[in-house]
Amino acid sequence: AIRAVADQGIHFAVTTETTVALAEAICERFQLEQVRFVNSGTEATMDALRVARAATGRDRVVKMEGSYHGHHDALLFSVVPEADTLGMRDNVSGESVAKGAAYTTQPTSKGIPRSMWEDTIIVPFNDAQAVEDVFAERGDQIAAVILEPVMMNIGIVVPQPGYLQALRDACDRNGSVLIFDEVKCGGTIAYGGATERFGVRPHLAAFAKAVGGGATTGAFGGEASIMEVVTKGAAQQGTFNGNPLSAAAGLAALTKVLTRDAYEGLGKMGTLLAEGCQRAIGETGIPAHTVDLGAKGCVSYRSEPLKDYRDFLDTLPDLYYASYPWMVNRGLFMTPGDEEQWTISVQHTEEDLQRYIDAFGEFCQELVK
Ligand code: PMP
């Protein structure tokens, strides 16, 4: 698709037929009424937040402790914070005064204006009550609640039953916008992303990565009554938004590669890989568990599943750091970074997965030698 479009011209700075076709494909599979294009996941969450603020006339935003939504100013707060900044270095698995409470904090990066620090309120993932409490105290100030419906930057943390719906209900009751950041999970955990997999529709959702089929793109969209502020004074623009090169790659990825059938295959392969790794964990008794979620999965070095970011602080990252070179030295390139996850491609075969399982099994054996 990229070669074909390269012959015709890769950029005109106007909407093309391919861009429209990709918009329709995205709206269909992710249950959006309207969508707009951007160039990255960062821009997708940044602009979704702009639209939410414009639609509500409010400034403040609620985000989850530990999560990442890109590198724009508003959400670079509490991104994988060190345990000691949470006041719990010696008390990782015990009770903490701050547990469950909403708070504001200094940003993760230098260079973020102090005037923004108070606008981003942090709550734990999987704690609907914490969000209810924020609404009870200052509901009329909250423009949006933004989250990855399944956290994917600390291994994989799945939402507890009822959690996402409780957030949707709380946002509805308080006139706030629920934003799902589906940048990672959108293309990977189901044909219709987290919205389909967990059966809860957000007001807005942000996408990137897989929806561009490897080319540079991003998108966000959702309910028309919210998105329409873009035509009523909320700025949303960009020279390369929806450019034909990225649109062609995205359209091919979504309509020819990542079909409904493909997810069935990816799901089976993912389970094969997760079960293989889980067997190795069981045989050696190392403190770890696997998570299996469509094309995504991971090994987390803690015996019990994670519910929130503080559980992640209770994992053993050194084991992950040891596993990385172990796997690379055996020809297996894992997702770089301390995220402990895999993404299965439609190109992977069962033999590929067996190589992974074998190498991981030897790693576990080595640990208990
Ligand atoms: N949201 C999530 C959940 C992400 O994982 C990422 C990037 N890993 C982003 C947003 C930012 O996307 P990008 O790197 O394309 O700006």
Side-chain angles (χ1 to χ4, degrees):
I2 287 173
R3 270 198 209 104
V5 91
D7 285 341
Q8 296 163 9
I10 59 168
H11 194 46
F12 307 104
V14 292
T15 303
T16 65
E17 285 174 8
T18 319
T19 317
V20 174
L22 178 60
E24 285 170 351
I26 289 174
C27 284
E28 182 271 320
R29 66 195 283 149
F30 298 119
Q31 304 176 47
L32 313 175
E33 291 171 3
Q34 293 186 358
V35 70
R36 295 188 67 89
F37 287 107
V38 291
N39 302 292
S40 67
T42 295
E43 288 183 34
T45 64
M46 179 175 77
D47 285 3
L49 195 53
R50 159 95 48 81
V51 162
R53 283 173 161 159
T56 57
R58 302 170 180 174
D59 289 344
R60 303 184 98 175
V61 55
V62 174
K63 86 173 273 289
M64 304 300 142
E65 188 171 74
S67 64
Y68 180 64
H69 298 291
H71 60 271
H72 59 92
D73 288 352
L75 299 173
L76 271 186
F77 292 86
S78 187
V79 178
V80 197
E82 296 288 339
D84 56 355
T85 68
L86 296 171
M88 52 186 298
R89 170 147 286 192
D90 298 314
N91 189 22
V92 164
S93 43
E95 288 302 303
S96 154
V97 270
K99 177 92 178 171
Y103 61 91
T104 55
T105 180
Q106 64 183 52
T108 302
S109 168
K110 291 181 180 173
I112 294 178
R114 192 167 277 273
S115 57
M116 298 183 75
W117 293 17
E118 290 301 307
D119 281 337
T120 306
I121 300 170
I122 314 299
V123 296
F125 186 71
N126 264 328
D127 186 345
Q129 190 56 48
V131 175
E132 291 284 7
D133 292 347
V134 174
F135 276 129
E137 232 178 87
R138 41 198 156 196
D140 59 347
Q141 300 171 14
I142 309 298
V145 174
I146 184 165
L147 77 161
E148 269 195 291
V150 45
M151 279 185 82
M152 286 192 165
N153 64 325
I154 51 169
I156 296 180
V157 187
V158 295
Q160 306 275 294
Y163 172 63
L164 298 175
Q165 188 62 51
L167 295 187
R168 168 80 207 213
D169 295 344
C171 286
D172 280 338
R173 264 187 277 110
N174 290 279
S176 188
V177 178
L178 180 64
I179 305 173
F180 280 179
D181 178 348
E182 294 226 36
V183 165
K184 271 182 165 173
C185 57
T188 53
I189 69 171
Y191 177 85
T195 302
E196 174 182 301
R197 182 126 191 170
F198 301 115
V200 177
R201 265 172 89 165
H203 298 99
L204 296 180
F207 303 90
K209 300 192 193 281
V211 299
T216 307
T217 200
F220 73 100
E223 295 185 6
S225 61
I226 298 170
M227 291 297 287
E228 72 177 8
V229 296
V230 175
T231 58
K232 295 179 181 162
Q236 200 280 319
Q237 57 239 149
T239 303
F240 284 97
N241 291 357
N243 69 77
L245 179 71
S246 298
L251 188 63
L254 293 190
T255 59
K256 299 200 173 123
V257 182
L258 295 171
T259 57
R260 274 208 181 273
D261 287 351
Y263 286 90
E264 209 173 295
L266 289 168
K268 282 190 190 136
M269 299 276 273
T271 301
L272 208 69
L273 182 52
E275 285 180 355
C277 292
Q278 189 63 50
R279 246 191 327 275
I281 292 165
E283 282 163 15
T284 51
I286 66 162
H289 72 275
T290 57
V291 183
D292 168 23
L293 205 62
K296 288 276 194 191
C298 73
V299 171
S300 272
Y301 291 95
R302 176 189 198 254
S303 299
E304 305 81 33
L306 315 183
K307 276 201 325 295
D308 59 23
Y309 177 70
R310 298 197 184 202
D311 286 347
F312 172 70
L313 294 174
D314 204 18
T315 62
L316 299 168
D318 287 354
L319 295 189
Y320 171 75
Y321 295 130
S323 75
Y324 192 88
W326 179 276
M327 298 300 257
V328 167
N329 286 338
R330 284 154 185 79
L332 292 148
F333 183 64
M334 297 205 294
T335 308
D338 55 356
E339 307 175 10
E340 309 170 42
Q341 56 184 261
W342 57 71
T343 308
I344 295 172
S345 160
V346 291
Q347 294 290 338
H348 283 128
T349 63
E350 285 193 22
E351 291 76 57
D352 294 327
L353 302 187
Q354 196 54 51
R355 272 182 70 199
Y356 192 109
I357 293 166
D358 291 345
F360 179 73
E362 288 161 22
F363 174 69
C364 293
Q365 294 289 345
E366 183 72 15
L367 287 179
V368 296
K369 255 189 192 161

